[in-house]
Amino acid sequence: MDLQYMKRIKFYLNWLGSWPFEDLYEVYKEEPKRLPLRNSKILIIYFICILLGGIMYVKVHKNELNFFELGHNYITLLMNVVSLQRVTMALLNSYRVMMAHFILNFHLFHHKHRSKYAMKIYKQIDTICSWYTIYLYSQMYVGCILFNLGPLINNIMSGAFESHAYSAENGTAPEFEFSVYLYLPFTVQTKKQYGLISLLNILLTSDGACIFCTFDVLMSIIIFHVWGHLKILKYHLESFPKPALAECEPGNSYTKVVMYTEDELPIIFEKLKENIEHHKLIIEFMNLASNAFGVMICVYFIFHQVIGCILLLEISAMDMESFASYGVLTFVMFQQLIQISIIFELIGSKSETIKHAVYDMPWECMDIKNKKIFLFFLSNVQKPIALKAMGLVSIGVQTMASILKTSFSYFIMLRTLAEN
């Protein structure tokens, strides 16, 4: 927990009421230090109220909003749905068990002693995770600022803050623009009212951005560690000791099978057992991660499927206003989808190499007992290691390509409807 990226994750998950203090109580030996009013139950109520406010706004003002304004409200509503689903994660036992297992057992910190190569991979993954968290959280802050800065600039340009914008005599009121629209029992007419609603918008967008980025960071770091475990396992399989007599042959190749000696067989048994247990550790953790993140990934990819075509529609106006309002958001959303899919693909591509590495082991040199164990190991590694959405769909580049293709198809259809 002294690692910088783990400190960042703990800080932001604690801010979202999702850090499993109780499950890690024996580690901290202290009372959980939760932030006031930031536990998951309060945040769930908070996001439910925000979601209902957004739905009511669309229902009441649907006839007044044009096609693109309606699209903006659908974007914020969908983001609220994803945020609401993610803050419920802390209530799931599968999430808490997975987090505790990751921190206490699976993290490469606990496995760097396996070999010099394991230490090397641990340091590489530590560097990757540190820079990745900095990169993604920088995106979070920049995106949140730009998302709230756009409406402010538009209000200034439209003269909404000028004194003549509101007149009690003729009943005119300024039309303020906001980053998130919620149903209000009154019309925003003064700068003070605008300031209060804007502060609420900033808080909401900051929490939403934090939820999106933090859980993406958490998933990515977990995937990086799984990838690191697979690299270590592959190296140990490839460097599995050959019979001592075989190493005397020219080029380390032999025309006849050279069996392990009686002295070597117990060592081979322990090496084989160690690799099987390492593979079992990876499989068990991937099952825990799939149970914990399955629903979240499914909701996330459905969200990308829908919001992708809406964002393309919003920037299809091809003017400065649309690019300023949605250009960065569109880039970030598509980049997040591509980025997370490529990271997931790391596991699939690396797990494919494991079965080849197992088969290349000198199994023909083993005795009957070890050959039976090896056959069991070879059978287990045939099944690809992958994180699945709802236990059904494997996440990777193919899924990402399918979502992008479908989003563009729906965008073309919606663009035609908008023109008509």
Side-chain angles (χ1 to χ4, degrees), residues 56-233:
M56 284 295 297
Y57 179 86
V58 171
K59 184 178 180 180
V60 172
H61 299 280
K62 186 175 182 179
N63 296 329
E64 304 170 13
L65 301 173
N66 61 41
F67 201 78
F68 292 96
E69 290 172 340
L70 200 59
H72 175 88
N73 283 277
Y74 286 148
I75 290 170
T76 55
L77 283 175
L78 289 168
M79 287 181 169
N80 275 324
V81 171
V82 175
S83 299
L84 177 59
Q85 187 277 323
R86 292 192 175 192
V87 294
T88 62
M89 293 284 289
L91 301 180
L92 301 177
N93 183 62
S94 57
Y95 167 77
R96 297 195 303 272
V97 170
M98 184 276 301
M99 284 293 292
H101 188 67
F102 173 66
I103 294 168
L104 301 179
N105 300 302
F106 192 77
H107 196 287
L108 285 174
F109 180 86
H110 304 294
H111 302 271
K112 61 184 180 180
H113 64 278
R114 286 179 179 267
S115 63
K116 290 183 179 179
Y117 185 79
M119 177 63 76
K120 176 185 174 182
I121 294 298
Y122 163 73
K123 292 179 179 179
Q124 287 180 355
I125 297 299
D126 177 62
T127 303
I128 292 171
C129 290
S130 296
W131 284 107
Y132 184 78
T133 53
I134 293 172
Y135 164 70
L136 215 60
Y137 280 121
S138 298
Q139 273 192 347
M140 179 187 80
Y141 287 112
V142 172
C144 188
I145 291 170
L146 292 176
F147 195 69
N148 287 279
L149 191 61
L152 176 62
I153 294 174
N154 291 337
N155 287 328
I156 295 173
M157 297 295 291
S158 65
F161 294 121
E162 297 178 7
S163 58
H164 58 77
Y166 172 74
S167 173
E169 297 177 358
N170 55 26
T172 60
E175 294 184 3
F176 289 110
E177 185 176 330
F178 297 99
S179 55
V180 180
Y181 291 92
L182 303 172
Y183 174 76
L184 300 171
F186 59 89
T187 303
V188 179
Q189 298 178 341
T190 65
K191 295 178 183 178
K192 184 177 180 180
Q193 291 174 336
Y194 169 81
L196 291 174
I197 302 301
S198 294
L199 285 176
L200 177 62
N201 276 197
I202 292 171
L203 176 62
L204 176 59
T205 52
S206 298
D207 281 338
C210 183
I211 288 171
F212 269 78
C213 287
T214 299
F215 281 95
D216 279 3
V217 165
L218 178 61
M219 278 197 302
S220 299
I221 283 176
I222 285 172
I223 295 303
F224 286 141
H225 279 262
V226 174
W227 182 55
H229 274 281
L230 290 173
K231 285 174 70 69
I232 294 171
L233 176 60

Side-chain angles (χ1 to χ4, degrees), residues 16 26 28 35 44 46 59 80 104 113 123 159 182 193 208 215 218 241 284 311 313 336 340 374 383 388:
L16 300 173
E26 292 299 322
Y28 293 109
L35 299 173
I44 289 171
Y46 165 62
K59 184 178 180 180
N80 275 324
L104 301 179
H113 64 278
K123 292 179 179 179
L182 303 172
Q193 291 174 336
F215 281 95
L218 178 61
E284 288 178 347
L311 285 170
L313 183 67
Q336 285 286 85
I340 202 77
F374 169 81
K383 187 177 181 181
K388 295 185 177 181

